[in-house]
Every structure is written in C-alpha cells, then in structure tokens.
Amino acid sequence: MANQDFFRLGGNPTDIDQDQFFLLTTKRGTISSKIYRPPTLISPREPQRALVDNCQFEDFSFSKTLIDNIEFKKCTFLRCLFIGTRIKRCRFTECSFIDTNTYRIEFEDTYINPLSFQQCLDPSRYQNIGVYLYQELLNNSRRQSQPDFTQDALFLFRRWTRYQEVYRLKAASDWRTRARLAKAICLNFVEDILLGFGVRVGSFCRTALASAVLLAFANYVFAQELGLSLAVKDGTASFWDALYFTIITLTTIGYGDIAPSTHLGRIAVAAEGMLGFLLFAILASMIYRKILP
C-alpha cells in the first residue's frame, strides 16, 4: 500500500452492511473494494460463532467496527483497514495480514497468531503502529493463556520497539538523546541475535553452543598459560580434552580431573563458570515462560 493511501482505500469502494457481508463471504473467493459501515459485525447465530472460510479481502475497510464472535479460517487480508477496530471473541485460523493498517486495533478474548502480521506493516514507516499492535497481541495472548502466542508476540514487540528507537534516533538532534537511543538499539539487537529476547530457544541454543566451542578453542590454544593439564599426544594438546573441560566448567559440574594451576587460569575458569551459571539461569527463565507465560 502506498504511503499516502495507508489510511484510506484506493479506487471507489462501495458500502455494505452485515447481511451483504455474510452473503459475499458464503461465495468465498476475493472480496474487494468494500467498506463495512455498521458499527458492529456480529454472528447472526449467537451464541454459535459464524464462520468465514477461504476468503481474500482486498482493499476492504473494517475500521471503527466491533467484530464479535466470528471465526475467520484461511482468510487473507490484503491492503485492508482495521483503524480503531475492536475484535472480540473471534478466531483467526491460518490467516495472514498483508500491507494492512491496524492503527489502534484492539483484541479481546480472541484466538490469533501474532505471526499472521509479519507482512502487515513496513518497519521503516509505521513503527508506532507496530509497537501498539504487538502490545495488544501480547496482552490478548496472556489473558487467553496461550504460551506460544505470548512468546511470539513478546519477541515481535521487542523487535518493533527497536524499529521505533531507530526512527527516533534519526529524528533526534541532541547528542545525549542520540547516545541513549544508540545504546538501547545496540542492546536490543544483541538480545535479539544472541538470545532471541529470552523466548527463542533456537537462538539460545546457537549462542550456548557457539560459546562452548569458542571457549574450548581458547582453552586449547592457551592451555599452558592457563595451567591446564590436557592430554598431550605427539607434542600436541587434545582439543577434545579442552572441549570436555569447557563443558564441565560451564555446567558447573567440576569433576576436578582437569584443573587450572595458574592465577590467570583460575580467574578465566571462574569467569567461564559464571557464564555457565548465567546461561542456565536464562534457560530456566525460558522454560518457565514456556510453561507459565
């Protein structure tokens, strides 16, 4: 959606009411260039939820509408408007939102995957809308006790706060403000890449594995300076002994069969043990969030 058209539909859309909406959705397929005018869109079969299946909404406005007790299944929302829309007691299953304006959207008791919105907004233009969107999705998933959705929403919310800080950095003129924002952006980026903001197990595992390999390599190369009695064959220390020692140290097991004999080695090994303790604390926090978001 072009920047100047992001808050309005292009072309000449026509107005429809609730009866026309459900008539169009029963035909499935593409529904384009429409504005839903009534203030509410509610299941006509209350308390049973109405089903909207396999529809593609293009240039469609749901703005300033309460959408209540409707299930959207395998639907695509392309260049749609959800400005000031309130979504209550709904389900969105296998849906996607593309180039869609979700300004001031609200969710209540709704089943919806935050990953459905990954193609929704341009992070270089609409950072404030993205931050608000993922904050709403985070609050909704927490209220609904949806652990996976909670973690996805939290991850995307943290990432979009970085996009917002980048925008503020470009607009800032005071050097103190720029320095503060630059620091926040760097820390956010490091948390994203290395730990996945504490909710991405894959990112954590990659970081933990890379840390173990790098430390093992350092222990192997500087074994003599650290005073490590690694097995020696043909005049060369064993890398596998260095890796074994590193893993035992990071996991704080410490069998003692290999131990540093220099002051530098003791300091280095203590630092490795603290790093291992920190990694396990992060892992415990991630498991806790997975079970009790």
Side-chain angles (χ1 to χ4, degrees), residues 9 16 21 31 34 57-62 79-81:
L9 299 180
I16 61 171
F21 174 84
I31 305 171
K34 304 292 183 184
F57 298 91
E58 294 184 8
D59 298 299
F60 196 108
S61 174
F62 293 94
R79 298 187 303 275
C80 293
L81 300 180

Side-chain angles (χ1 to χ4, degrees), residues 22 25 28 45 49-53 69-73:
F22 284 111
T25 57
R28 302 185 177 183
R45 299 189 296 274
R49 183 177 287 126
L51 176 63
V52 177
D53 190 11
N69 205 26
I70 296 176
E71 178 175 1
F72 294 88
K73 184 177 181 181

